[in-house]
Amino acid sequence: MNSARKWVIEGEWETENINNEINDFFKKKKATEAKEIVKNHDLFTISHEVMKQGFPEVVHLAYEGKLSLDDYILFLENISYALYVTYDLPIAVDMD
């Protein structure tokens, strides 16, 4: 909740950003399908089984251009983190 922190510390209220962060928070809480969990959570919070089920679908969505900008950012962060900690992703991802 960076926008809320900014509001408390700097007194700057950004309605759209705060609403987006709140919506993202609830979207994560509502996620029940493996694909949605993988799309909306950090790698280190996702079980191996959920990753095995949902990651291939998210990769497919990414290749087809069907992720939001925020989804792509988290997707790339998760891949980078997986490479950093040598986590075996369920399928290979072409980063070229």
Side-chain angles (χ1 to χ4, degrees), residues 20 24 27 39 67-75 77:
N20 289 339
D24 286 346
K27 186 168 72 171
K39 246 175 55 173
L67 296 178
S68 71
L69 180 58
D70 289 339
D71 292 340
Y72 274 112
I73 291 169
L74 185 57
F75 175 70
E77 285 175 354

Side-chain angles (χ1 to χ4, degrees), residues 12 42 78:
E12 188 173 330
D42 295 320
N78 283 339

Side-chain angles (χ1 to χ4, degrees), residues 35-74:
K35 170 183 69 175
E36 292 302 315
I37 293 170
V38 171
K39 246 175 55 173
N40 294 306
H41 290 82
D42 295 320
L43 177 66
F44 58 87
T45 65
I46 304 169
S47 75
H48 183 69
E49 277 306 308
V50 169
M51 196 65 178
K52 221 163 76 174
Q53 293 172 359
F55 188 73
E57 290 182 74
V58 175
V59 170
H60 181 73
L61 291 172
Y63 287 157
E64 295 218 333
K66 295 183 178 176
L67 296 178
S68 71
L69 180 58
D70 289 339
D71 292 340
Y72 274 112
I73 291 169
L74 185 57

Side-chain angles (χ1 to χ4, degrees), residues 1 18-31 40-41:
M1 300 288 286
I18 289 174
N19 286 340
N20 289 339
E21 288 176 10
I22 291 170
N23 289 334
D24 286 346
F25 174 79
F26 285 112
K27 186 168 72 171
K28 286 180 184 181
K29 290 285 186 189
K30 288 181 184 178
N40 294 306
H41 290 82

